[in-house]
Amino acid sequence: MYKRQAHYQPISWSDAFAKIAEDLHACASADEAVFYTSGKAINESAFLLQLLARRFGTNNLPDCSNMCHESSGIALNQSLGTGKTTVTLQDLEGADVIVVIGQNPGTNHPRMLTSLEVAKKRGARIIAINPLREVGLERFVYPQSPLAVISGGTALADIYLQVRINGDVALLQGLAKSLLTAEHIDPVFLSSHTHGFDAYRAHIKAVSWESIVRESGLRQTIIENAAKILGQSKATVACWAMGLTQHVNGVDNVRELTNLLLLGGHIGRPNAGLFCVRGHSNVQGDRTMGVSEAMPEAFYTALEREFEFSCPRKPGYNTIEAIEAMLHKRVGVFLSL
């Protein structure tokens, strides 16, 4: 319909719909089409995109979650039964201790710095964990406050742990080892709301300080000092982003962080919990609307009942699989919202 051009040019909606329909109908099977979106899409758009894909006959619905907090969702589901954040910004601002690990709010989530400053001025202690020293984690200058600019702003991190790249599991197990040794745990919470604690305790006990120091790149005394801050907290919030998730062992990273907070009973109480910080505005909303390569059976059943069509069940491509399929020419259409 259109010749190749060196630049974009506008076309009519009718032509656009006709072109998309032509390309989709040219597919030998529905699985040769991929329907992609990101967290910039609103719920209604995301719902209609997944409905289009499944009416077409495929679950090829990769999205940006595959590349950011997929490992968080898996780990949290395994540990807690839900893949969602357990706190609000109000909890963050009211916490006793905030752990910021694998995340740089100053660059990627600047709005969060204001909440960290609120918490700090209220008396919270902040543990920053990052291989690189990030200026935004050390001191925050609120740009709309002349007094803050003059005074140099608010010091944030009380302790800064420059962990070795992907040494997070070792560091988190070192913190847990310190808490268990000092009995800075919540035995009532652990007996009432967790299972497998005895096996976990035995595992952590068996991990040597030698391996923790070697893998984390941090001295034992530095880890123990951070653990003392955690042990004194009645309400801890742990925040993380791509620094934990975008590793081959991203699920292990998030699971160990979850275990650390469970030791102190910091799940399900005010001003405490797990905060997987997302970059886009509606990542969770899109996933809830069905933008996923595999949804629970109840979702498919409800979709069929409401819209009266047969929903595909075969899992589709996630983002990595979609890219590989395109490289091997198993995909003919990529529709991006």
Side-chain angles (χ1 to χ4, degrees):
M1 185 184 296
Y2 293 98
K3 295 179 179 179
R4 291 181 180 273
Q5 301 290 337
H7 57 275
Y8 289 111
Q9 57 181 318
I11 63 175
S12 68
W13 278 112
S14 59
D15 284 351
F17 290 142
K19 175 60 177 169
I20 292 168
E22 176 188 332
D23 288 342
L24 288 174
H25 282 304
C27 293
S29 78
D31 289 330
E32 290 184 2
V34 168
F35 298 79
Y36 179 88
T37 190
S38 77
K40 294 299 184 184
I42 61 174
N43 283 350
E44 291 81 0
S45 301
F47 183 81
L48 289 173
L49 180 77
Q50 67 81 31
L51 183 61
L52 170 64
R54 292 186 167 108
R55 286 295 294 263
F56 187 66
T58 185
N59 281 313
N60 286 346
L61 282 153
D63 75 321
C64 64
S65 283
N66 297 142
M67 300 304 293
C68 57
H69 278 295
E70 189 80 19
S71 48
S72 296
I74 292 171
L76 292 174
N77 264 308
Q78 290 174 346
S79 299
L80 306 179
T82 176
K84 298 177 175 63
T85 289
T86 69
V87 300
T88 65
L89 276 177
Q90 286 70 36
D91 292 316
L92 180 68
E93 293 172 0
D96 288 345
V97 170
I98 300 169
V99 179
V100 183
I101 177 170
Q103 180 213 359
N104 177 23
T107 300
N108 299 309
H109 309 99
R111 164 65 182 88
M112 184 178 170
L113 287 174
T114 304
S115 291
L116 290 176
E117 183 182 42
V118 170
K120 188 66 181 178
K121 288 184 175 179
R122 197 193 46 75
R125 305 184 76 183
I126 296 176
I127 300 172
I129 302 172
N130 200 313
L132 202 64
R133 292 196 77 91
E134 303 284 1
V135 175
L137 283 172
E138 295 184 308
R139 181 170 292 273
F140 173 56
V141 179
Y142 185 53
Q144 297 181 30
S145 170
L147 185 60
V149 174
I150 295 171
S151 65
T154 303
L156 293 179
D158 292 270
I159 185 169
Y160 206 116
L161 305 178
Q162 286 186 264
V163 67
R164 189 173 69 84
I165 293 174
N166 202 19
D168 305 287
V169 166
L171 169 58
L172 293 166
Q173 290 188 345
L175 292 169
K177 192 176 185 75
S178 300
L179 291 174
L180 288 165
T181 300
E183 289 298 326
H184 283 153
I185 60 177
D186 187 334
V188 175
F189 177 89
L190 289 167
S191 62
S192 302
H193 301 292
T194 69
H195 63 87
F197 171 65
D198 291 337
Y200 174 74
R201 183 168 202 156
H203 173 71
I204 294 298
K205 184 178 180 181
V207 179
S208 69
W209 273 112
E210 180 184 8
S211 67
I212 290 170
V213 169
R214 181 180 66 252
E215 295 300 323
S216 71
L218 295 164
R219 297 195 305 274
Q220 179 178 341
T221 53
I222 292 175
I223 297 173
E224 289 174 334
N225 287 339
K228 287 177 183 176
I229 295 176
L230 291 172
Q232 294 164 359
S233 173
K234 300 298 182 186
T236 298
V237 170
C239 316
W240 74 96
M242 306 301 94
L244 281 192
T245 64
Q246 290 192 339
H247 293 284
V248 172
N249 56 303
V251 173
D252 295 329
N253 289 338
V254 178
R255 191 188 294 118
E256 285 300 334
L257 183 60
T258 304
N259 289 338
L260 186 67
L261 261 65
L262 286 171
L263 283 178
H266 299 291
I267 307 292
R269 67 171 58 153
N271 306 318
L274 294 156
F275 188 2
C276 45
V277 185
R278 303 182 186 276
H280 289 307
S281 53
N282 201 39
V283 173
Q284 188 61 60
D286 287 358
R287 182 55 63 88
T288 303
M289 290 298 104
V291 177
S292 173
E293 72 278 4
M295 291 294 287
E297 176 59 31
F299 182 89
Y300 296 134
T301 303
L303 214 58
E304 289 178 330
R305 183 174 61 248
E306 182 66 26
F307 295 99
E308 299 180 349
F309 76 102
S310 181
C311 204
R313 296 301 198 277
K314 186 179 77 172
Y317 295 136
N318 61 30
T319 299
I320 296 296
E321 291 165 345
I323 293 170
E324 290 174 345
M326 286 188 280
L327 284 172
H328 292 93
K329 303 191 184 306
R330 294 195 298 269
V331 168
V333 176
F334 182 87
L335 182 62
S336 178
L337 172 65

